[in-house]
Amino acid sequence: GAVVSQHPSRVICKSGTSVKIECRSLDFQATTMFWYRQFPKKSLMLMATSNEGSKATYEQGVEKDKFLINHASLTLSTLTVTSAHPEDSSFYICSAQKPGTGGDEQYFGPGTRLTVT
Amino acid sequence: QKEVEQNSGPLSVPEGAIASLNCTYSDRGSQSFFWYRQYSGKSPELIMFIYSNGDKEDGRFTAQLNKASQYVSLLIRDSQPSDSATYLCALTFGGGGNKLTFGTGTQLKVEL
């Protein structure tokens, strides 16, 4: 299998605080992980590509200083939303690419629902 | 602009019928194709991937890829109410690394 976990599953924080979300590949090593956000009834929007041991690559329009990504090991990537504001409230989902399968399959974590009050 | 087009639906099929979901794409350099299922409020779940022209079957699911016509489809046989979800078509394209480009999804409703 290919299991990806995320923690926390749900978080409520006050405006101005920072929130860290963890993404772990449980049964495989992932050199590449991805971070998405999804608004209600909308498709997934890729925020950044996280590569183990190097800086993340951010998509156009995504503030790298606001969404800090760290991929410190082959099984863990973290996304920190700094100085969160209500407009950052969203469903954040990570995915991990499973190597050695001959393709580009990405397996998604269960997501983190962030509410900023 | 790399585009992936899906009919948003909803597509309604009776229980036991075949559901046919279609996806077209604009970039001929697209390499790998995926179908994800997403239940409301949940994250996407990979159900099929296909890399070569033709059909690929896995249980009740069949993915069909036609690169010349630039479409990929998903057939669900013996549809069940539990198949009711949004189905996302996604692909990677040459020069895009491993990034997935998603369609907006087709909502499937399987009715009793």
Side-chain angles (χ1 to χ4, degrees), chain A:
Chain A
V3 181
V4 178
S5 70
Q6 265 185 259
H7 178 80
S9 59
R10 190 178 294 268
V11 58
I12 300 173
C13 71
K14 291 186 177 180
S15 187
T17 61
S18 295
V19 173
K20 179 186 282 189
I21 302 170
E22 293 186 348
C23 176
R24 293 181 185 273
S25 55
L26 298 183
D27 54 357
F28 64 99
Q29 294 184 326
T31 54
T32 305
M33 292 183 173
F34 301 86
W35 286 96
Y36 297 82
R37 65 189 296 181
Q38 187 176 34
F39 293 105
K41 300 190 184 301
K42 299 291 186 184
S43 192
L44 288 89
M45 184 193 84
L46 178 65
M47 299 175 67
T49 302
S50 169
N51 295 296
E52 187 270 336
S54 63
K55 290 183 178 180
T57 303
Y58 290 81
E59 294 300 299
Q60 192 171 9
V62 178
E63 301 174 57
K64 59 182 67 176
D65 293 331
K66 180 168 184 62
F67 299 100
L68 301 179
I69 292 172
N70 183 280
H71 194 157
S73 78
L74 288 172
T75 59
L76 173 64
S77 176
T78 61
L79 168 68
T80 301
V81 183
T82 62
S83 186
H85 291 283
E87 58 265 30
D88 298 323
S89 298
S90 188
F91 191 40
Y92 292 87
I93 316 172
C94 72
S95 72
Q97 187 173 343
K98 186 174 182 180
T101 54
D104 311 330
E105 300 98 80
Q106 289 184 30
Y107 295 87
F108 284 85
T112 297
R113 195 162 302 280
L114 170 64
T115 303
V116 185
T117 61

Side-chain angles (χ1 to χ4, degrees), chain B:
Chain B
Q1 181 76 17
K2 314 291 185 183
E3 292 186 349
V4 181
E5 299 286 341
Q6 291 183 259
N7 188 318
S8 62
L11 171 66
S12 294
V13 299
E15 184 178 7
I18 296 175
S20 177
L21 304 160
N22 299 308
C23 172
T24 59
Y25 58 93
S26 61
D27 181 20
R28 286 194 173 275
S30 300
Q31 296 177 324
S32 305
F33 304 83
F34 307 87
W35 283 99
Y36 287 87
R37 176 176 64 198
Q38 186 173 25
Y39 293 110
S40 181
K42 303 294 184 181
S43 68
E45 173 191 7
L46 179 64
I47 54 173
M48 288 288 286
F49 56 87
I50 186 167
Y51 304 132
S52 305
N53 276 327
D55 294 1
K56 179 181 178 183
E57 186 174 318
D58 184 1
R60 295 187 296 114
F61 300 99
T62 299
Q64 299 175 319
L65 175 60
N66 185 321
K67 289 189 176 182
S69 300
Q70 295 177 240
Y71 80 80
V72 56
S73 61
L74 179 70
L75 301 178
I76 306 175
R77 290 180 297 282
D78 189 24
S79 296
Q80 302 297 309
S82 58
D83 294 326
S84 298
T86 295
Y87 289 80
L88 301 169
C89 171
L91 55 84
T92 60
F93 54 89
N98 299 321
K99 293 193 294 186
L100 288 174
T101 299
F102 282 91
T104 53
T106 298
Q107 185 183 4
L108 173 67
K109 292 185 176 180
V110 180
E111 298 169 333
L112 294 170

